[in-house]
Structure formats: C-alpha cells, structure tokens
Amino acid sequence: FNDASVHTGNGCFSPGGDRFYFTKCSEGDSQIITCTIYCSKFGRERWNAPETVPGNVNEPGSSNTMPCVAKVGKKEILFFSSNRHLQSRGGYDIWYSVIDPRNGSYRRPQNCGKKINTTSDEITPYYDSRQNRLYFASNGLKSFGGFDIYYADGGPSRYTSVQNMGYPIN
C-alpha cells in the first residue's frame, strides 16, 4: 500500500471486509496536493495490488480523498470528498457513488446536496448504517470555529436537517 513518492492514508474497509479503500496523494510543483482513491481486494491469502477506483470517481484534474464505504438500505455506497468542479457547491464537497454488486462497477458520482455541502469545504464523511446517519466536517456551516463535526439523518442523496455535534465534540 505504501509508496515512498506519495502520501498514503484515509483508509476504510468495505462492509464485508474484503476490500480496503485508501488515498494516495502527491504534491505538485505549486505545492498543491492531488489525491486519488484506490482499492485493494483480499485474495485467497493476501491483499491484491491496489488499483485506482474505476469509473468517474477519480475525476482528472480534481482531488478525490477520504473514502468511506457503507450500506445504505440494501445498496453499498462509496462516500468521498472531492474538489471537482461540475455540480460542485464550492471547495471540497461530499460525494457518493453506488457500487453495483453484480460487477463491482461504480456509478457516476453524485453530490450529496445543498443541505450537506456549502461554498466552503466538507470533508471526512462517515456513514453509520445502523442509524442511517452521515457524519462529516465542515468549515462552511455555523460553527464554533474552523472545521466542526456535523451529522444528518438520511442518505445518500436526501437528508434531514444538519446538526452540529456541539460541545464537547466541537
């Protein structure tokens, strides 16, 4: 998983534990960091070589990071943070892609919507399948300052009101 030429991090397991998602980030000439989401599948006795997540998840020219895979209803969903431009609210937004169980493909990523995403940055998505709740950090919502932790019930495309986790979390 590790590579001396990039930063590796932000890992998570799929609900079944047979896939591991993580991010590799490289720093460009202008000190702008660009990240790509990878996945490794567990083979007979060991983890296979990681591959970039296929489809449009890793949009060229954008940074795609902080993967979280969860069951939402009967569907397996890849949540992630990206600064892609098309259909963006601005900065980093929380996006999701439905994973097709028949062939392991990833559907076209969708923005989680204006209740979650602001014109600033939303990062670190985590979905609690038992409570049907998305947790994330934002610096664009009413906060105690900087990135606060929020949650919203619902998902993956429709959420009820967003709540700040409050003190002592934030």
Side-chain angles (χ1 to χ4, degrees):
F1 295 98
N2 293 320
D3 184 336
S5 64
V6 296
H7 302 286
T8 304
N10 304 318
C12 74
F13 287 99
S14 64
D18 61 336
R19 286 169 283 129
F20 183 69
Y21 293 82
F22 63 98
T23 305
K24 287 187 178 186
C25 302
S26 59
E27 191 172 325
D29 292 337
S30 58
Q31 295 184 336
I32 294 174
I33 295 178
T34 303
C35 301
T36 304
I37 299 172
Y38 285 78
C39 180
S40 177
K41 296 177 183 175
F42 192 77
R44 292 179 184 237
E45 297 178 5
R46 63 185 176 94
W47 290 98
N48 295 329
E51 297 178 359
T52 57
V53 172
N56 294 330
V57 171
N58 290 302
E59 184 178 78
S62 66
S63 190
N64 307 283
T65 185
M66 303 175 191
C68 172
V69 182
K71 283 277 196 183
V72 180
K74 294 183 179 184
K75 296 179 181 177
E76 198 169 276
I77 308 291
L78 168 64
F79 292 93
F80 62 99
S81 184
S82 177
N83 65 352
R84 60 187 62 215
H85 298 291
L86 187 62
Q87 298 178 342
S88 173
R89 304 264 307 142
Y92 278 86
D93 285 353
I94 306 294
W95 295 79
Y96 72 93
S97 176
V98 177
I99 302 170
D100 189 328
R102 296 171 298 190
N103 59 14
S105 65
Y106 298 78
R107 295 196 186 138
R108 186 172 62 86
Q110 301 292 314
N111 189 294
C112 281
K114 62 185 178 181
K115 284 192 178 180
I116 303 297
N117 295 308
T118 68
T119 57
S120 294
D121 294 322
E122 283 69 44
I123 58 173
T124 63
Y126 171 78
Y127 194 85
D128 183 336
S129 298
R130 290 170 294 163
Q131 293 185 326
N132 294 322
R133 182 174 282 175
L134 176 69
Y135 292 88
F136 63 99
S138 175
N139 64 359
L141 296 166
K142 187 176 179 183
S143 71
F144 289 94
F147 281 98
D148 276 15
I149 308 295
Y150 299 84
Y151 70 86
D153 294 324
S157 62
R158 291 196 172 102
Y159 296 92
T160 58
S161 63
V162 174
Q163 299 291 318
N164 187 304
M165 293 288 292
Y167 177 84
I169 302 296
N170 295 314

